[in-house]
């Protein structure tokens, strides 16, 4: 016995079927940032395949997961490429058929770059130049796929735009920056220096004589921060020193105030056992240039390691000039650097009682250089010397011998002059 279906129930069933069909057959728009959308027509494809949804769902598309397929993946028979392979339907890999899906005008692509002008890629100009050969760029190697953003240095090695813009096929990406970055005005770069005046690099000044490719990327990468280079590095030809070598441009080892405006190098105080010694840049700059000392004698460092008076007597550090010829010798006139210097008395404990050497007494008749460093190094402890050594002319015996104008260490009657017994 067949039951009659109520009219309202039948209406609900039909309405549900219509709504379901409407959902299944609506067009799907795939939107792109820089191109017209691609429209997939359910109605067209369902008519083609006798309303058989299973051909695509879920064989090709799983509605439970969303996945964006690239053109490169489609060419490997993924997504639309499963049918559009040139067998069942036109191939997604055929350039002349690109416009069958990608309708409308191409749009320019703008690359936002921090610190410099935007770079604009003109699709229309490039499509015209290549005769509509989209795949010359959109091949999954130059553009396409899911690659990360590419630096200018990578382009110079032949990636993305650098495939064509290599100086052979088209102008090189290694220069001609304003051809892509319209209105480019690279900013000045200020380098802050501890204990010294800042140095400012002016792009506007340098680009009057040089093109971008002279420095980028031969000397500097395209980065806001490139790592520190010392003045010593520059003297060796790195960083600014690549040009500022005294030939192409003034040397980085001199004329410091050309870059470090208003520079007044500070006085340097050295704390020593003989009191504080102060080096005055201001005084020395009246006679010498920065390059006379830097970096021949001293590196550009606030702390550069201690040099002893013995080292200076051998021509190192201050002793390179203070040698008694170019300037007073570092082995004498101690109070010229060590202001208020009063060398202390030195006491020697011996088997014959304490012996005391009085600096105060001896400098009434002698200069520092008479003993230092000819006889004694500039050290608080100089090693032990025996009376036998002195009798042979060592240590105090250099002056205290029978042939000098001081009492002899060989004469027993003078022992108590040093050894208070």
């Amino acid at each position: 016995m067949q039951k009659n279906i109520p009219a309202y129930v039948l209406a609900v069933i039909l309405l549900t079927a219509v709504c379901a069909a409407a959902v299944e057959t609506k067009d799907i728009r795939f939107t792109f940032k820089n191109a017209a959308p691609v429209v997939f027509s359910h109605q067209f494809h369902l008519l083609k395949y006798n309303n058989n949804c299973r051909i695509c769902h879920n064989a090709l598309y799983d509605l439970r997961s969303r996945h964006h397929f690239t053109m490169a993946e489609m060419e490997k028979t993924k997504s639309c490429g499963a049918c559009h392979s040139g067998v069942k339907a036109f191939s997604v890999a055929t350039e002349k058929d690109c416009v069958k899906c990608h309708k409308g005008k191409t749009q320019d692509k703008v690359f936002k770059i921090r610190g410099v002008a935007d770079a604009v890629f003109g699709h229309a100009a490039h499509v015209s130049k290549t005769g509509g050969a989209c795949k010359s760029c959109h091949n999954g190697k130059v553009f396409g796929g899911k690659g990360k953003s590419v630096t200018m240095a990578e382009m110079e090695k032949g990636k993305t735009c650098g495939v064509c813009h290599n100086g052979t096929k088209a102008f090189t990406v290694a220069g001609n920056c304003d051809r892509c970055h319209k209105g480019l005005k690279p900013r000045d770069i200020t380098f802050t220096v501890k204990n010294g005046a800042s140095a400012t690099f002016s792009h506007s000044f340098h680009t009057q004589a040089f093109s971008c490719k002279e420095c980028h990327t031969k000397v500097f990468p395209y980065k806001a921060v490139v790592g520190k280079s010392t003045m010593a590095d520059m003297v060796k030809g790195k960083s600014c020193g690549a040009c500022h070598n005294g030939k192409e441009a003034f040397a980085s080892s001199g004329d410091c105030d050309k870059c470090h405006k208003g520079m007044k190098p500070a006085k340097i105080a050295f704390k020593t056992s003989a009191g504080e010694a102060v080096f005055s840049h201001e005084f020395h700059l009246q006679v010498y240039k920065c390059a006379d000392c830097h970096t021949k004698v001293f590196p550009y460092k606030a702390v550069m390691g201690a040099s002893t008076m013995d080292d200076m007597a051998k021509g190192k550090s201050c002793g390179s000039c203070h040698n008694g010829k170019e300037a007073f010798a570092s082995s004498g006139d101690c109070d010229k650097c060590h202001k208020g210097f009063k060398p202390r008395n030195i006491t020697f404990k011996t088997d014959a009682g304490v012996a005391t050497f009085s600096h105060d007494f001896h400098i009434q008749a002698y200069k520092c250089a008479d003993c230092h460093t000819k006889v004694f190094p500039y050290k608080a402890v100089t090693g032990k010397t025996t009376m036998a050594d002195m009798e042979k002319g060592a240590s105090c015996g250099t002056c205290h011998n029978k042939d000098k104008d001081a009492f002899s260490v060989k004469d027993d009657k003078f022992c108590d002059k040093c050894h208070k017994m």
Side-chain angles (χ1 to χ4, degrees):
M1 179 178 177
Q2 187 175 358
K3 292 184 178 180
N4 293 324
I5 299 173
Y8 71 89
V9 174
L10 184 60
V12 170
I13 294 171
L14 290 172
L15 182 61
T16 303
V18 170
C19 291
V23 170
E24 289 173 356
T25 59
K26 76 173 183 177
D27 290 346
I28 300 177
R29 292 167 63 87
F30 299 93
T31 57
F32 305 92
K33 282 185 178 180
N34 304 287
V38 169
V39 179
F40 175 84
S41 171
H42 265 105
Q43 184 178 9
F44 175 83
H45 286 79
L46 284 170
L47 286 172
K48 187 82 172 173
Y49 294 101
N50 299 318
N51 294 323
N52 186 359
C53 301
R54 293 182 179 278
I55 289 177
C56 294
H57 302 289
N58 286 322
L60 300 178
Y61 304 105
D62 186 352
L63 297 178
R64 292 169 299 181
S65 64
R66 298 287 180 179
H67 179 76
H68 173 73
F69 290 94
T70 65
M71 289 302 300
E73 288 175 317
M74 290 185 194
E75 290 181 16
K76 294 177 182 176
T77 71
K78 296 286 179 102
S79 183
C80 302
C83 294
H84 289 278
S85 60
V87 179
K88 294 181 181 180
F90 66 86
S91 174
V92 291
T94 304
E95 276 185 315
K96 66 181 179 63
D97 291 328
C98 292
V99 294
K100 287 188 177 182
C101 296
H102 297 273
K103 300 180 185 295
K105 293 182 178 179
T106 54
Q107 300 174 17
D108 290 346
K109 182 172 176 60
V110 178
F111 297 91
K112 297 279 185 184
I113 300 158
R114 188 179 176 184
V116 296
D118 295 342
V120 179
F121 176 84
H123 260 111
H126 287 78
V127 168
S128 174
K129 186 77 173 175
T130 60
C134 302
K135 284 181 63 62
S136 57
C137 292
H138 294 282
N139 54 18
K141 295 179 180 179
V142 179
F143 295 108
K146 299 175 182 178
K148 63 178 181 178
S149 56
V150 175
T151 65
M152 292 302 299
E154 289 174 316
M155 289 186 194
E156 289 184 16
K157 293 175 182 177
K159 292 191 176 182
T160 66
C161 301
V163 170
C164 294
H165 288 278
N166 54 16
T168 304
K169 294 181 182 179
F171 65 86
T172 176
V173 292
N176 309 300
C177 299
D178 57 348
R179 294 186 75 165
C180 296
H181 302 270
K182 301 296 183 184
L184 173 71
K185 289 185 179 179
R187 60 183 179 84
D188 290 349
I189 302 174
T190 300
F191 300 92
T192 55
V193 183
K194 189 177 180 181
N195 300 321
S198 298
T200 299
F201 175 85
S202 171
H203 268 105
S204 57
F205 174 80
H206 285 80
T207 52
Q208 292 177 39
F210 301 96
S211 61
C212 303
K213 65 181 178 181
E214 303 289 343
C215 294
H216 302 289
T217 58
K218 294 176 183 176
V219 181
F220 301 105
Y222 289 97
K223 291 183 180 180
V225 180
V226 294
K228 294 181 179 179
S229 292
T230 64
M231 293 305 298
D233 292 333
M234 294 184 193
V235 171
K236 294 174 183 176
K238 294 183 179 180
S239 184
C240 301
C243 293
H244 288 278
N245 51 19
K247 298 176 183 178
E248 296 179 58
F250 64 86
S252 58
S253 58
D255 302 314
C256 301
D257 58 346
K258 284 195 172 184
C259 296
H260 301 270
K261 301 296 182 185
M263 183 182 74
K264 290 185 178 179
K267 290 181 179 180
I268 302 175
F270 300 93
K271 293 181 179 179
T272 74
S273 58
E276 189 174 76
V278 177
F279 176 85
S280 171
H281 271 104
E282 185 179 4
F283 174 80
H284 285 80
L285 283 171
Q286 295 177 37
V287 183
Y288 300 97
K289 295 180 179 179
C290 302
D292 292 328
C293 294
H294 301 289
T295 57
K296 295 174 183 175
V297 181
F298 302 105
Y300 288 97
K301 292 182 180 180
V303 180
M304 55 185 186
S307 292
T308 65
M309 293 305 298
D310 281 339
D311 292 333
M312 294 184 194
K314 294 172 184 176
K316 294 183 179 180
S317 185
C318 301
S320 60
C321 291
H322 287 279
N323 51 19
K325 298 176 183 178
E326 296 180 57
F328 64 85
S330 58
S331 57
D333 301 313
C334 300
D335 59 347
K336 284 197 172 185
C337 296
H338 300 269
K339 301 297 181 184
F341 172 59
K342 289 185 178 180
R344 62 183 177 83
N345 293 340
I346 300 175
T347 301
F348 302 94
K349 292 181 180 180
T350 73
D351 294 337
V354 172
T356 301
F357 176 85
S358 171
H359 270 103
D360 288 339
F361 176 81
H362 284 81
I363 57 177
Q364 293 177 38
Y366 299 96
K367 294 179 180 179
C368 300
D370 291 330
C371 294
H372 302 287
T373 58
K374 295 174 183 176
V375 181
F376 301 105
Y378 287 97
K379 291 182 181 180
V381 180
T382 58
K384 293 181 180 180
T385 302
T386 64
M387 289 304 299
D389 292 331
M390 293 185 193
E391 289 178 10
K392 294 175 183 178
S395 184
C396 299
T398 304
C399 294
H400 289 277
N401 61 52
K402 64 180 181 179
D403 298 321
K404 297 285 184 179
D405 55 356
F407 64 86
S408 173
V409 292
K410 294 180 180 180
D411 197 332
D412 291 343
K413 67 181 178 182
F414 295 121
C415 293
D416 59 349
K417 284 202 170 190
C418 296
H419 298 272
K420 305 300 180 184
M421 296 180 289

